[in-house]
Amino acid sequence: MPISRRFTRRSLLGAAAVAASASLALTGCVAGEDSEASAGGSAAASDGVLNIDFATYNPLSLVIKEKGWLESSLADQGVEVNWVQSAGSNKANEALRSGAIDVGSTAGSAALLARANGSPIQAISLYSQPEWAALVTLPDSGVDSVEDLKGKSVAATKGTDPYFFLLQSLEEAGLSQDDVTVQNLQHADGLTALNNGSVDAWSGLDPIMAGAEQDGAELFYRNLDFNTYGFLNATESFLKEDPEVAQTVVNAYEKARAWAAENPEETAQILADVAGLDLEVATTVITERSNLDVDPVPGETQRAVLEKIGPAFVETGDVANQKQIDDALGSLLNDSLVKAADPAAIKES
């Protein structure tokens, strides 16, 4: 189906999360969801550990983790690297807010939502401009358009781009959230609910969505403009206390961006291995639905995208008022590290 072009505690807890996530390719896990840390209470890497996430929806994070570049580059600083898997933007935001990770991957819409609700994070780089969300159903479901969703149930993960994709799609079709029943399920669980008939549609996320499509699911509505950029976020405490480590992270991302552009087949293989996907599906995600060659500097383009989405947060009650949105837009984007990025400073493992 064609795309519419109308143009969204600390070390020990983190280690436990990584051990648990080893068996969770698609569902993932996050440290710190039950942490007693206050919002933004991270001790940052000054405790000798960088807690950073990896996510199947952030291919550059998988490359950096696979290559061991952060471990090699931070060894001289006496900093260990603890990787924590994020199952979705909402989980990454929870971990950032609790201080369980210092750096986390989210959609731009989710980063704005978190910042507007008081999470002290800043977007320090962009890792992609993806088409990672779409509305999905099964053949013969009777759902062929967004209008057909009226009175139906839809699975979506609140606080993530697919959820905001759903809201924007409903609004464009003249519907509201009240016209559907939204089942708040994590991404992989949303697909399960679709497959077992618990919901009529699913607002999906790649790479899980690409696997579902290969298995026969139908992407009945796509719109590139409703997908926000991939934001790499860091806690303000981390940026203040460990600026050199933060710069190293951004340096590694720029090295990964160049490497992925030169090695799309190997990048797809890394994604396939981590996400448990067929290589053909992973290749589709990397080559057709993930623009990793995006300008990494967060700026006016992203601000304009988020300005369109912000009022919807207020309308749905996810944010109390527009002032919180405006304040968040004024403080979320931080381009200083990526403008100073030096990929050559990253050591090979």
Side-chain angles (χ1 to χ4, degrees):
M1 187 168 291
I3 303 173
S4 170
R5 296 288 181 182
R6 278 185 60 253
F7 5 104
T8 163
R9 162 75 193 212
R10 299 276 314 148
S11 304
L12 292 177
L13 284 174
V18 170
S21 70
S23 63
L24 298 174
L26 289 180
T27 55
C29 72
V30 169
E33 291 176 38
D34 298 317
S35 171
E36 295 179 358
S38 61
S42 168
S46 56
D47 63 359
V49 178
L50 165 66
N51 288 316
I52 183 170
D53 83 342
F54 68 101
T56 57
Y57 54 86
N58 177 0
L60 295 185
S61 71
L62 306 184
V63 170
I64 296 168
K65 183 175 184 292
E66 171 71 18
K67 297 298 181 181
W69 292 333
L70 283 177
E71 289 81 352
S72 298
S73 300
L74 291 173
D76 291 344
Q77 299 181 43
V79 175
E80 297 179 4
V81 181
N82 179 45
W83 291 96
V84 178
Q85 187 170 10
S86 291
S89 294
N90 61 326
K91 296 301 182 182
N93 273 332
E94 289 172 10
L96 283 163
R97 189 178 184 94
S98 71
I101 59 175
D102 306 303
V103 182
S105 317
T106 75
S109 56
L112 175 62
L113 177 64
R115 180 81 195 192
N117 282 319
S119 182
I121 60 170
Q122 289 189 320
I124 57 175
S125 181
L126 307 175
Y127 57 82
S128 68
Q129 182 189 14
E131 189 208 0
W132 54 16
L135 298 182
V136 186
T137 193
L138 298 180
D140 303 321
S141 67
V143 176
D144 298 312
S145 67
V146 180
E147 290 80 0
D148 292 335
L149 292 177
K150 187 171 184 178
K152 302 289 178 62
S153 58
V154 185
T157 309
K158 289 190 175 181
T160 70
D161 237 28
Y163 172 64
F164 303 124
F165 184 95
L166 172 63
L167 295 184
Q168 293 175 91
S169 301
L170 291 172
E171 181 181 15
E172 182 188 52
L175 302 176
S176 72
Q177 185 176 345
D178 293 336
D179 290 314
V180 301
T181 300
V182 178
Q183 297 290 337
N184 183 22
L185 300 171
Q186 202 61 44
H187 301 298
D189 297 330
L191 175 58
T192 299
L194 178 66
N195 286 332
N196 66 25
S198 299
V199 296
D200 301 294
W202 167 53
S203 197
L205 179 73
D206 270 340
I208 306 172
M209 183 172 68
E213 186 179 23
Q214 185 189 50
D215 292 338
E218 297 178 350
L219 277 56
F220 68 91
Y221 184 69
R222 298 167 66 176
N223 188 330
L224 182 62
D225 282 347
F226 287 173
N227 292 259
T228 58
Y229 289 73
F231 278 33
L232 186 70
N233 308 302
T235 62
E236 289 183 332
S237 58
F238 170 64
L239 295 174
K240 179 180 179 180
E241 296 169 28
D242 291 286
E244 292 183 4
V245 177
Q247 186 66 67
T248 300
V249 170
V250 175
N251 292 346
Y253 262 84
E254 288 314 291
K255 182 178 180 69
R257 190 185 313 280
W259 186 91
E262 295 176 1
N263 301 276
E265 297 87 358
E266 190 171 347
T267 303
Q269 185 65 65
I270 292 171
L271 174 61
D273 292 342
V274 176
L277 296 171
D278 289 344
L279 180 57
E280 179 182 357
V281 175
T283 299
T284 296
V285 172
I286 295 299
T287 62
E288 298 181 20
R289 301 215 283 250
S290 298
N291 177 13
L292 302 177
D293 193 29
V294 66
D295 181 350
V297 180
E300 290 307 312
T301 299
Q302 292 70 45
R303 193 187 314 277
V305 170
L306 296 179
E307 283 177 346
K308 296 178 182 177
I309 296 175
F313 297 160
V314 179
E315 292 174 11
T316 59
D318 291 301
V319 177
N321 55 66
Q322 183 62 37
K323 184 179 184 304
Q324 289 178 221
I325 297 293
D326 296 339
D327 290 346
L329 282 170
S331 58
L332 176 61
L333 306 180
N334 180 343
D335 63 6
S336 61
L337 296 175
V338 72
K339 285 185 174 180
D342 180 11
I346 297 298
K347 297 180 179 179
E348 302 280 349
S349 60

